[in-house]
Amino acid sequence: MKKTNRREFIQNLGIVGVTTAALSVNSLPLFAEQSFKKIGIIGLDTSHSEMFTKDINEGSLKDRGYRVIAAYPHGSKDIPSALGMKQGIIDAVQKMGVEIVDSIDQLLKKVDFILLESNDGRVHLEQATKVINAKKPLFIDKPMAENLDKVKEIFELAAKKNVPLFSSSSLRYDQLVREVKGGKIGKVLGADVYTPAEIEPNHIDQAWYMIHGIEMLFTVMGTGCKEVFRAYHPDFEQVVGIWKDGRIGSVRGIRKGASNIAGIAFGETEISQLGPFASYGPLVAEILTFFDTGKPPVPPEETIEIFQFMEAAQRSKASKQVENLI
């Protein structure tokens, strides 16, 4: 497989299943006149914002009763890849009838639900706090924050204010991953996954991109990891987790050579492939179901353990030893 950079990888794969019909900016009043539930986006510096909007406003989910009607565009202040794509995404969502607003406060007055899409996890706590204080249910895209402490702080505030939220990678909702989680191969006895592993220096190493594979691993293995060992090289790495019942799961991070997001699960009755990534549609459908019900499909405890896993891997890189989850 030809090597692609992160932006090409997302753009090439993320458009699957979406129609190409475009709504003009002039169609925005039509959204307001109809009985659509109104979604706002925070952060137009990731291709996810464009792809999610296409699915909801034009694509396979356009009959679910929701529309993205407004967006606050600002997220990252200093990540070049995010800043470089922002204007193009602003232009794209405007063509789909999305109004661009000047502040999160202004956005919150217009919408009922929030997709927090800012590319930079460092701004998520500040932005999520405004949404939570306004009592708006929200989805927070990966990475939920730049480290474990900030993740916990967001969840604690949401619990205090009784506001539902969740965070997830799209890989959690891959068809084969869902089948394995649903029991197709019996109890999962182990799993090995692989993923691109670009590192952004302001986030814990694996939160920036390797989290996709880690979420896939935890979806099929469940929680209960107790120990982590990370073998690190600038071009690639291998992270091995040992669960409390002795099961072993691993994630290979790829920074050189052919890459994709996929894996294999070992079960009591069968062995199953996982992935590769196909589209954002299943995740977006799950988000709309969450908005319908107010019930987060991923419990806070699982997201917290995923960040504990990544922070243990960070410590293991430094110590070159097995590290316990804390």
Side-chain angles (χ1 to χ4, degrees):
M1 179 183 293
K2 182 179 119 176
K3 181 180 178 183
T4 59
N5 65 35
R6 177 172 176 268
R7 185 178 182 189
E8 289 172 340
F9 181 80
I10 294 171
Q11 290 178 334
N12 289 342
L13 295 177
I15 302 176
V16 175
V18 176
T19 67
T20 58
L23 298 174
S24 71
V25 176
N26 292 332
S27 65
L28 183 60
L30 179 63
F31 290 169
E33 290 168 6
Q34 298 185 29
S35 58
F36 295 120
K37 298 174 185 177
K38 299 172 184 178
I39 297 173
I41 292 180
I42 298 174
L44 297 180
D45 57 351
T46 167
S47 61
H48 291 194
S49 301
E50 179 182 350
M51 299 304 134
F52 288 14
T53 301
K54 282 185 177 180
D55 275 336
I56 295 166
N57 287 15
E58 300 179 349
S60 59
L61 301 172
K62 65 183 179 181
D63 296 325
R64 287 286 302 268
Y66 290 86
R67 288 293 182 269
V68 178
I69 69 155
Y72 171 72
H74 305 302
S76 173
K77 298 178 178 66
D78 59 6
I79 296 176
S81 61
L83 296 174
M85 69 176 72
K86 185 162 73 169
Q87 187 58 54
I89 295 167
I90 291 172
D91 295 342
V93 300
Q94 283 185 306
K95 290 178 181 177
M96 290 184 275
V98 177
E99 177 187 5
I100 305 302
V101 301
D102 295 327
S103 69
I104 293 176
D105 291 339
Q106 185 181 354
L107 180 71
L108 292 170
K109 293 176 182 177
K110 294 176 176 288
V111 302
D112 307 305
F113 307 94
I114 292 292
L115 301 173
L116 203 172
E117 296 295 324
S118 297
N119 189 259
D120 189 343
R122 291 173 293 171
V123 302
H124 285 182
L125 174 59
E126 178 185 356
Q127 293 181 333
T129 295
K130 293 184 177 183
V131 180
I132 293 167
N133 285 335
K135 302 284 189 177
K136 307 284 185 180
L138 74 156
F139 167 78
I140 304 177
D141 213 331
K142 68 88 199 161
M144 184 170 174
E146 72 270 36
N147 59 44
L148 175 61
D149 287 343
K150 296 292 182 64
V151 167
K152 288 181 175 179
E153 194 169 343
I154 292 171
F155 277 130
E156 287 167 2
L157 179 62
K160 180 179 178 180
K161 299 288 187 177
N162 196 28
V163 173
L165 65 82
F166 83 104
S167 181
S168 177
S169 161
S170 57
L171 273 298
R172 180 180 291 273
Y173 296 102
D174 167 76
Q175 179 63 34
L176 293 176
V177 171
R178 298 182 86 157
E179 289 176 3
V180 168
K181 183 180 180 181
K184 182 179 179 180
I185 64 174
K187 181 178 179 180
V188 175
L189 303 178
D192 300 320
V193 303
Y194 53 89
T195 174
E198 179 184 348
I199 292 174
E200 201 291 312
N202 297 293
H203 297 69
I204 55 174
D205 286 355
Q206 296 166 343
W208 185 247
Y209 210 81
M210 209 169 157
I211 191 171
H212 283 306
I214 294 169
E215 285 231 8
M216 181 185 284
L217 179 68
F218 271 81
T219 302
V220 298
M221 292 284 287
T223 56
C225 185
K226 67 173 185 176
E227 294 178 332
V228 173
F229 178 75
R230 179 183 183 189
Y232 174 85
H233 182 276
D235 293 335
F236 26 73
E237 61 182 85
Q238 193 85 21
V239 181
V240 178
I242 302 174
W243 267 246
K244 293 176 181 177
D245 57 5
R247 294 178 300 144
I248 298 172
S250 72
V251 185
R252 180 177 180 84
I254 303 168
R255 288 182 284 274
K256 181 178 181 180
S259 64
N260 206 331
I261 311 175
I264 189 166
F266 305 94
E268 291 178 309
T269 61
E270 295 180 52
I271 296 172
S272 174
Q273 297 295 317
L274 303 172
F277 173 65
S279 78
Y280 296 110
L283 169 60
V284 182
E286 197 70 31
I287 293 169
L288 297 187
T289 298
F290 161 66
F291 288 161
D292 284 337
T293 65
K295 297 179 180 178
V298 183
E301 294 78 14
E302 184 166 337
T303 301
I304 288 170
E305 185 167 316
I306 286 170
F307 272 81
Q308 289 173 324
F309 178 95
M310 294 189 294
E311 293 215 346
Q314 193 92 348
R315 296 193 302 273
S316 179
K317 175 187 173 184
S319 69
K320 295 182 172 57
Q321 297 178 358
V322 174
E323 294 286 339
N324 294 325
L325 271 71
I326 297 175

